Amino acid sequence: MAFQNLCFKLRPVCSSHVTTKTMSIHPHPSLEVTGGAREPFLPALSSLGDRPYTPFPIIGWNCHVETIFAAFFRSQPDVRLKRECLRTKDDGSVALDWVAGDHQRLPPDSPLLILLPGLTGGSQDTYVRHMLVRARRKGWRAVVFNSRGCGESPVTTSQFYSASFLGDMHEVVIHVASRYPKANLYAAGWSLGANILVRYLGQESHDCRLSGAVSLCNPFNLVIADEDFHKGFNNVYDKALASALCRIFKKHALLFEDMDGEYNIPLAANAKSVREFDEGLTRVSFGFKSVDDYYSNSSSSDSIKHVRIPLLCIQADNDPIAPSRGIPREDIKANPNCLLIVTPKGGHLGWVAGAEAPLGAPWTDPVVMDFLEHLERGSSEASASRSDLKDVQQSSEGLHQLEL
């Protein structure tokens, strides 16, 4: 009887599969889809189908119209958040915004998604809120990482965040992992948040605690992005972002009194461009010789070759802030962990297209969740396979002890 029970335990292992069966996907020629991970990951992106990328009429035909429309008119889902302030090792502070009630509602092993907004952005941004809602509907736990001074996060030292500084990201991942040790961790970042995320992935490389990540509207090469930032209508975005940085700075101006050395506090406080703010404060705070030195050494384009976890990058070919020519296409193609999707339109943080256009979620959101859920299914199946293998090993040991 014991021998029959042993055989019954062994049978399920023979039929288990680590990979999920998916249909063949042939993306429409309007989309540029490439990368070393194209073959394994593309079949999971069922929301791509074979349909062309179709921007919403009029709004989606011009990159500036689309960028501004999305920023001012996209709907903002009502999501109740609970804030956790995390004190960092250097006495700085960042704010983590969790969806209220999820701690009780979701099991502790629910997949967890860390969201990194763009420059001066936070949990109030519409694109962040839409992703929160979508992740929650899928049973995921999500948390917004508001950088120092962003999303009303407190500033407690004379050091802001920057594209070069990865210390806060490192501490947030460790903290979140300690809160939910049974959960698989993932991250998605937009714009400068995407740049920081990809640099983090490259730095951590084989030791990365994340199981997968998504980068959207990543400027990648900050030198190229800075060049384009001062051309034509792009000056409008430059002044708007500089104004937002100055507002954050002035709220905490007392922290910067009597700063000596190369700091130029008046320049930072009254900056008319992001470059001026970085010249007066950021590059000095983080030890760079010049703004160009800061931009060159803070670009995530050089990090792609070191990424060792699944990474989906989504860019718009007409993005006025994250130029298409800055995308490290060759490194993405050479990396077996990376997949790149470039849409013909989309602007910056726009992507006013798809079923929910023009006021709803960006076109990218279903693609992002397809990718992340595929990774989570694969992780769950791998865990189940390891569990079955352990049962086999234990049963095999018992078989040797049987006396016939």
Coordinates of all heavy atoms in Angstrom, one line a residue, residues 63-116:
C63 N 3.2 65.2 -31.6 CA 3.8 64.7 -30.3 C 3.6 65.7 -29.2 O 3.4 65.3 -28.0 CB 5.3 64.5 -30.5 SG 6.3 65.9 -30.9
H64 N 3.6 67.0 -29.5 CA 3.4 68.0 -28.5 C 1.9 68.1 -28.0 O 1.7 68.2 -26.8 CB 3.8 69.4 -29.0 CG 5.3 69.4 -29.4 ND1 6.3 69.1 -28.5 CD2 5.9 69.7 -30.6 CE1 7.5 69.2 -29.1 NE2 7.2 69.6 -30.4
V65 N 1.0 68.0 -28.9 CA -0.4 68.0 -28.6 C -0.7 66.8 -27.7 O -1.4 66.9 -26.7 CB -1.3 68.0 -29.8 CG1 -2.8 67.8 -29.4 CG2 -1.2 69.3 -30.6
E66 N -0.2 65.6 -28.1 CA -0.4 64.4 -27.3 C 0.2 64.5 -25.9 O -0.4 64.1 -24.9 CB 0.1 63.2 -28.1 CG -0.2 61.9 -27.4 CD 0.1 60.7 -28.3 OE1 0.8 60.9 -29.4 OE2 -0.4 59.6 -28.1
T67 N 1.4 65.0 -25.8 CA 2.1 65.1 -24.5 C 1.3 66.0 -23.6 O 1.1 65.7 -22.4 CB 3.5 65.6 -24.7 OG1 4.3 64.7 -25.6 CG2 4.2 65.8 -23.4
I68 N 0.9 67.2 -24.1 CA 0.2 68.2 -23.2 C -1.2 67.7 -22.9 O -1.7 67.8 -21.8 CB 0.1 69.5 -24.0 CG1 1.6 70.1 -24.1 CG2 -0.8 70.5 -23.2 CD1 1.7 71.3 -25.0
F69 N -1.9 67.0 -23.9 CA -3.2 66.5 -23.6 C -3.2 65.5 -22.5 O -4.0 65.5 -21.5 CB -3.8 65.9 -24.9 CG -5.2 65.3 -24.7 CD1 -6.3 66.1 -24.8 CD2 -5.4 64.0 -24.3 CE1 -7.6 65.6 -24.6 CE2 -6.6 63.5 -24.1 CZ -7.8 64.3 -24.2
A70 N -2.3 64.6 -22.6 CA -2.2 63.5 -21.6 C -1.9 64.1 -20.2 O -2.4 63.6 -19.2 CB -1.1 62.5 -22.0
A71 N -1.0 65.1 -20.2 CA -0.6 65.7 -18.9 C -1.8 66.4 -18.2 O -1.9 66.4 -17.0 CB 0.6 66.7 -19.1
F72 N -2.6 67.1 -19.0 CA -3.7 67.9 -18.4 C -5.1 67.3 -18.4 O -5.9 67.7 -17.6 CB -3.7 69.3 -19.1 CG -2.5 70.1 -18.8 CD1 -1.4 70.2 -19.6 CD2 -2.5 70.9 -17.6 CE1 -0.3 71.0 -19.3 CE2 -1.4 71.6 -17.3 CZ -0.3 71.7 -18.1
F73 N -5.4 66.4 -19.4 CA -6.7 66.0 -19.5 C -7.0 64.5 -19.3 O -8.1 64.1 -19.3 CB -7.2 66.4 -20.9 CG -7.2 67.9 -21.2 CD1 -6.2 68.4 -22.0 CD2 -8.1 68.7 -20.6 CE1 -6.2 69.8 -22.2 CE2 -8.1 70.1 -20.8 CZ -7.1 70.6 -21.6
R74 N -5.9 63.7 -19.1 CA -6.2 62.3 -18.9 C -6.9 62.1 -17.5 O -6.6 62.9 -16.6 CB -4.8 61.5 -18.9 CG -4.9 60.1 -18.5 CD -3.6 59.3 -18.8 NE -3.5 59.0 -20.2 CZ -2.4 58.9 -20.9 NH1 -1.3 59.2 -20.3 NH2 -2.4 58.6 -22.1
S75 N -7.8 61.2 -17.4 CA -8.5 61.0 -16.2 C -7.6 60.5 -15.1 O -6.6 59.9 -15.3 CB -9.7 60.0 -16.4 OG -9.1 58.7 -16.7
Q76 N -8.0 60.9 -13.8 CA -7.2 60.4 -12.7 C -8.1 59.5 -11.8 O -9.0 59.9 -11.2 CB -6.8 61.6 -11.8 CG -5.9 61.2 -10.7 CD -5.5 62.4 -9.8 OE1 -6.3 63.0 -9.2 NE2 -4.2 62.7 -9.8
P77 N -7.8 58.2 -11.9 CA -8.6 57.2 -11.1 C -8.5 57.6 -9.6 O -7.5 58.0 -9.1 CB -7.9 55.9 -11.4 CG -7.2 56.1 -12.7 CD -6.8 57.5 -12.7
D78 N -9.6 57.3 -8.9 CA -9.7 57.6 -7.5 C -9.1 56.4 -6.8 O -9.8 55.3 -6.8 CB -11.1 57.9 -7.1 CG -11.3 58.3 -5.6 OD1 -10.2 58.7 -5.0 OD2 -12.4 58.1 -5.1
V79 N -8.0 56.5 -6.2 CA -7.3 55.4 -5.5 C -6.9 55.9 -4.1 O -6.3 57.0 -3.9 CB -6.1 54.9 -6.2 CG1 -5.4 53.8 -5.4 CG2 -6.4 54.6 -7.6
R80 N -7.4 55.3 -3.0 CA -7.0 55.6 -1.7 C -5.7 55.1 -1.4 O -5.4 53.9 -1.5 CB -8.1 55.1 -0.7 CG -9.4 55.8 -0.7 CD -10.4 55.2 0.3 NE -9.8 55.2 1.7 CZ -9.6 54.0 2.3 NH1 -9.8 52.8 1.8 NH2 -9.1 54.1 3.6
L81 N -4.8 55.9 -0.9 CA -3.4 55.6 -0.7 C -3.1 55.7 0.8 O -3.6 56.5 1.5 CB -2.5 56.4 -1.5 CG -2.6 56.3 -3.0 CD1 -1.7 57.4 -3.7 CD2 -2.3 54.9 -3.5
K82 N -2.1 54.9 1.3 CA -1.6 55.0 2.6 C -0.1 55.2 2.5 O 0.6 54.5 1.9 CB -1.9 53.7 3.4 CG -1.4 53.8 4.8 CD -1.7 52.5 5.6 CE -1.2 52.6 7.1 NZ -1.6 51.4 7.9
R83 N 0.3 56.3 3.1 CA 1.7 56.7 3.0 C 2.6 56.1 4.1 O 2.3 56.1 5.3 CB 1.9 58.2 3.0 CG 3.3 58.8 3.1 CD 3.4 60.1 2.4 NE 3.2 60.1 1.0 CZ 3.4 61.1 0.2 NH1 3.9 62.3 0.7 NH2 3.2 61.0 -1.1
E84 N 3.8 55.7 3.7 CA 4.8 55.2 4.6 C 6.1 56.1 4.3 O 6.6 56.1 3.2 CB 5.1 53.8 4.4 CG 6.3 53.2 5.3 CD 6.6 51.8 4.9 OE1 6.2 51.3 3.9 OE2 7.4 51.2 5.7
C85 N 6.6 56.8 5.3 CA 7.8 57.5 5.1 C 9.0 56.7 5.5 O 9.1 56.2 6.6 CB 7.8 58.8 5.9 SG 6.7 60.0 5.2
L86 N 10.0 56.5 4.6 CA 11.1 55.7 4.8 C 12.4 56.6 5.0 O 12.7 57.4 4.2 CB 11.4 54.7 3.7 CG 12.6 53.8 3.7 CD1 12.4 52.8 4.9 CD2 12.8 53.1 2.4
R87 N 13.0 56.5 6.2 CA 14.2 57.2 6.5 C 15.4 56.4 5.9 O 15.6 55.3 6.2 CB 14.4 57.4 8.0 CG 15.6 58.2 8.4 CD 15.5 59.7 8.1 NE 14.6 60.3 9.0 CZ 14.5 61.6 9.1 NH1 15.3 62.4 8.4 NH2 13.6 62.2 10.0
T88 N 16.2 57.1 5.1 CA 17.4 56.5 4.5 C 18.6 56.6 5.4 O 18.6 57.3 6.4 CB 17.7 57.1 3.1 OG1 17.9 58.5 3.3 CG2 16.4 56.9 2.2
K89 N 19.7 55.9 5.0 CA 20.9 55.8 5.8 C 21.5 57.1 6.0 O 22.2 57.4 7.0 CB 21.9 54.8 5.1 CG 21.4 53.4 5.2 CD 22.4 52.4 4.5 CE 22.0 51.0 4.6 NZ 22.9 50.1 3.9
D90 N 21.3 58.1 5.0 CA 22.0 59.4 5.1 C 21.0 60.4 5.7 O 21.2 61.6 5.6 CB 22.5 59.9 3.8 CG 21.3 60.2 2.8 OD1 20.2 59.7 3.1 OD2 21.5 60.9 1.8
D91 N 20.0 59.9 6.4 CA 18.9 60.7 7.1 C 18.0 61.4 6.1 O 17.3 62.4 6.4 CB 19.6 61.8 8.0 CG 20.1 61.2 9.3 OD1 19.5 60.1 9.7 OD2 21.0 61.7 9.9
G92 N 18.1 61.0 4.8 CA 17.1 61.5 3.9 C 15.8 60.8 4.0 O 15.6 59.9 4.9
S93 N 14.8 61.2 3.3 CA 13.4 60.6 3.4 C 12.8 60.4 2.0 O 13.0 61.3 1.1 CB 12.5 61.5 4.2 OG 13.0 61.6 5.5
V94 N 12.2 59.3 1.8 CA 11.3 59.1 0.6 C 10.0 58.6 1.1 O 9.8 58.1 2.2 CB 12.0 58.0 -0.3 CG1 13.3 58.5 -0.8 CG2 12.1 56.6 0.4
A95 N 9.0 58.8 0.3 CA 7.6 58.4 0.6 C 7.1 57.2 -0.2 O 7.2 57.3 -1.5 CB 6.7 59.6 0.5
L96 N 6.7 56.2 0.4 CA 6.1 55.0 -0.3 C 4.6 55.1 -0.1 O 4.1 55.0 1.0 CB 6.7 53.7 0.3 CG 8.2 53.6 0.3 CD1 8.6 52.3 0.9 CD2 8.7 53.7 -1.2
D97 N 3.9 55.1 -1.2 CA 2.4 55.2 -1.2 C 1.8 53.8 -1.6 O 2.0 53.4 -2.7 CB 1.9 56.3 -2.1 CG 2.1 57.7 -1.5 OD1 2.3 57.8 -0.3 OD2 2.1 58.6 -2.3
W98 N 1.2 53.2 -0.6 CA 0.6 51.9 -0.8 C -0.9 52.1 -1.1 O -1.5 53.0 -0.6 CB 0.8 51.0 0.4 CG 2.2 50.7 0.8 CD1 3.0 51.6 1.6 CD2 3.0 49.6 0.4 NE1 4.2 51.0 1.7 CE2 4.3 49.9 1.0 CE3 2.8 48.5 -0.4 CZ2 5.4 49.0 0.9 CZ3 3.9 47.6 -0.5 CH2 5.1 47.8 0.1
V99 N -1.5 51.1 -1.8 CA -3.0 51.2 -1.9 C -3.6 50.8 -0.6 O -3.3 49.7 -0.1 CB -3.5 50.2 -3.0 CG1 -5.0 50.3 -3.1 CG2 -2.9 50.7 -4.4
A100 N -4.4 51.7 -0.1 CA -5.0 51.4 1.3 C -5.9 50.2 1.3 O -6.6 49.9 0.4 CB -5.9 52.6 1.7
G101 N -5.7 49.4 2.3 CA -6.5 48.1 2.5 C -5.9 46.9 1.9 O -6.3 45.8 2.2
D102 N -4.9 47.1 1.0 CA -4.3 45.9 0.3 C -3.5 45.0 1.3 O -3.4 43.8 1.0 CB -3.4 46.3 -0.8 CG -4.2 46.6 -2.1 OD1 -5.4 46.5 -2.1 OD2 -3.5 47.0 -3.1
H103 N -3.0 45.6 2.4 CA -2.3 44.7 3.3 C -3.1 43.6 3.9 O -2.7 42.5 4.1 CB -1.7 45.6 4.4 CG -0.8 44.9 5.4 ND1 0.4 44.3 5.1 CD2 -1.1 44.5 6.7 CE1 0.9 43.7 6.1 NE2 0.0 43.8 7.1
Q104 N -4.4 44.0 4.1 CA -5.4 43.0 4.6 C -6.0 42.2 3.5 O -6.3 41.0 3.7 CB -6.4 43.6 5.5 CG -6.0 44.3 6.8 CD -5.4 45.6 6.6 OE1 -5.6 46.3 5.6 NE2 -4.6 46.1 7.6
R105 N -6.2 42.8 2.4 CA -7.0 42.2 1.3 C -6.2 41.2 0.5 O -6.8 40.1 0.1 CB -7.5 43.3 0.4 CG -8.5 42.8 -0.7 CD -8.9 44.0 -1.6 NE -7.9 44.5 -2.4 CZ -7.6 44.0 -3.7 NH1 -8.3 43.0 -4.2 NH2 -6.6 44.5 -4.4
L106 N -5.0 41.4 0.3 CA -4.2 40.5 -0.5 C -3.3 39.6 0.3 O -2.8 39.9 1.4 CB -3.2 41.4 -1.4 CG -3.9 42.3 -2.4 CD1 -2.9 43.2 -3.1 CD2 -4.7 41.5 -3.5
P107 N -3.1 38.3 -0.2 CA -2.2 37.4 0.5 C -0.8 37.9 0.5 O -0.4 38.6 -0.4 CB -2.4 36.1 -0.3 CG -3.0 36.5 -1.6 CD -3.8 37.7 -1.4
P108 N 0.0 37.5 1.4 CA 1.4 38.0 1.5 C 2.3 37.6 0.4 O 3.3 38.2 0.2 CB 1.9 37.3 2.8 CG 1.0 36.2 3.1 CD -0.3 36.5 2.5
D109 N 1.9 36.6 -0.4 CA 2.7 36.2 -1.5 C 2.3 36.8 -2.9 O 2.7 36.4 -3.9 CB 2.8 34.7 -1.7 CG 1.5 34.0 -1.9 OD1 0.4 34.7 -1.8 OD2 1.4 32.8 -2.2
S110 N 1.3 37.8 -2.8 CA 0.9 38.4 -4.0 C 2.1 39.1 -4.7 O 2.9 39.8 -4.0 CB -0.2 39.5 -3.7 OG -1.3 38.8 -3.2
P111 N 2.2 39.1 -6.0 CA 3.3 39.8 -6.7 C 3.2 41.3 -6.4 O 2.1 41.9 -6.3 CB 3.1 39.5 -8.2 CG 1.6 39.1 -8.3 CD 1.3 38.4 -7.0
L112 N 4.4 41.9 -6.2 CA 4.5 43.3 -5.8 C 5.2 44.2 -6.9 O 6.3 43.8 -7.3 CB 5.2 43.4 -4.5 CG 5.1 44.6 -3.6 CD1 5.4 44.3 -2.2 CD2 5.9 45.8 -4.1
L113 N 4.5 45.3 -7.2 CA 5.0 46.1 -8.3 C 5.4 47.5 -7.7 O 4.6 48.2 -7.1 CB 3.9 46.3 -9.4 CG 4.3 47.2 -10.5 CD1 5.5 46.7 -11.3 CD2 3.1 47.3 -11.5
I114 N 6.7 47.9 -7.8 CA 7.2 49.2 -7.4 C 7.1 50.1 -8.6 O 7.6 49.8 -9.7 CB 8.6 49.1 -6.9 CG1 8.7 48.1 -5.8 CG2 9.1 50.4 -6.4 CD1 10.2 47.7 -5.4
L115 N 6.5 51.3 -8.4 CA 6.3 52.3 -9.5 C 7.2 53.5 -9.3 O 7.2 54.1 -8.2 CB 4.9 52.7 -9.6 CG 3.9 51.6 -9.9 CD1 2.4 52.1 -9.9 CD2 4.2 50.8 -11.2
L116 N 8.0 53.9 -10.3 CA 8.9 55.0 -10.2 C 8.5 56.1 -11.2 O 8.7 56.0 -12.4 CB 10.3 54.6 -10.6 CG 11.1 53.7 -9.6 CD1 10.7 52.3 -9.7 CD2 12.6 53.9 -9.8

